[in-house]
Amino acid sequence: AETGSGLEAVLEDDVGQLWLGTYNTGVVRLRMPPTENNGRAALAQLDRFGTAHGLPSVNYNLVNPIDGEARFATSAGMYRFEKERNRFEPDPSFASLFGQARVVYVAHQDPSKRVWLYAEDAARGLKETGLARQQTAAPYRWDGNMLSALNGHETMTTYGDPNGVVWFGSDDGLFRLDPRLPKNYAQP
């Protein structure tokens, strides 16, 4: 990517398409056609997506792998790409997560399949990192209890270890969470 392009994340989907998330130019999809009969590769096709394609804004559209599919953290929550309609729509699994749209800056599914988010409600001045807990018969439910100590801090990145420990890089340092340790979150 060229300098100043705002490129933030790249993800290859299950059909070999590259999705590029950006901070300020929407979403880009790069499709590689099959090799031609003469053995030469055909030209790649580049598609740019913005508000005309269902994105809430061209700003803060970051691609993340969740359950093996490309999901997009946007300025209005989590979105997915609907192939049949060739447009982006709010992801119904995350639609009722906060009760109202929030900017989602970071989404990370760890090796245990837990989805960690950093989201901001700009109207209320709330910055929150937490767990989007998957329900068996319902969409994800928000759980910010484990990480309430990070409220107000910007989480820049999240990484989950295979042993269950999750790391959060924030504007105030590096934090480690071991959800396996018992803790009463109702206790001050």
Side-chain angles (χ1 to χ4, degrees):
E2 62 189 64
T3 303
S5 67
L7 179 64
E8 175 56 23
V10 178
L11 175 74
E12 182 177 2
D13 68 15
D14 58 349
V15 294
Q17 301 176 121
L18 292 180
W19 290 96
L20 292 75
T22 72
Y23 275 128
N24 54 16
T25 57
V27 172
V28 177
R29 178 179 62 191
L30 182 65
R31 293 186 279 176
M32 303 298 289
T35 305
E36 295 177 353
N37 290 338
N38 60 10
R40 293 191 334 214
L43 294 177
Q45 182 174 350
L46 185 76
D47 302 306
R48 290 191 171 276
F49 298 96
T51 55
H53 305 96
L55 289 172
S57 169
V58 294
N59 298 323
Y60 302 111
N61 296 292
L62 310 177
V63 62
N64 306 273
I66 296 178
D67 293 332
E69 295 183 29
R71 294 292 192 263
F72 300 85
T74 76
S75 62
M78 296 298 292
Y79 274 59
R80 68 182 185 184
F81 184 73
E82 294 292 333
K83 296 174 199 169
E84 299 80 25
R85 300 182 62 212
N86 200 42
R87 62 183 291 110
F88 290 85
E89 294 183 355
D91 188 328
S93 298
F94 295 92
S96 60
L97 198 60
F98 302 112
Q100 63 185 32
R102 285 189 186 178
V103 179
V104 177
Y105 294 106
V106 175
H108 172 75
Q109 187 170 43
D110 68 19
S112 300
K113 300 294 185 191
R114 296 171 300 193
V115 179
W116 302 91
L117 302 176
Y118 165 61
E120 180 179 9
D121 180 345
R124 295 185 348 188
L126 176 64
K127 296 177 181 178
E128 192 173 22
T129 302
L131 175 63
R133 192 177 296 277
Q134 193 164 25
Q135 307 296 298
T136 52
Y140 286 93
R141 179 180 58 83
W142 182 248
D143 181 355
N145 290 332
M146 287 185 281
L147 297 167
S148 61
L150 294 180
N151 286 354
H153 295 279
E154 292 183 24
T155 299
M156 314 300 190
T157 190
T158 302
Y159 177 79
D161 282 336
N163 66 3
V165 171
V166 186
W167 298 88
F168 301 91
S170 84
D171 60 347
D172 199 33
L174 181 64
F175 295 87
R176 178 183 184 271
L177 173 71
D178 189 343
R180 301 169 299 181
L181 300 176
K183 168 101 171 106
N184 178 0
Y185 292 104
Q187 179 181 350

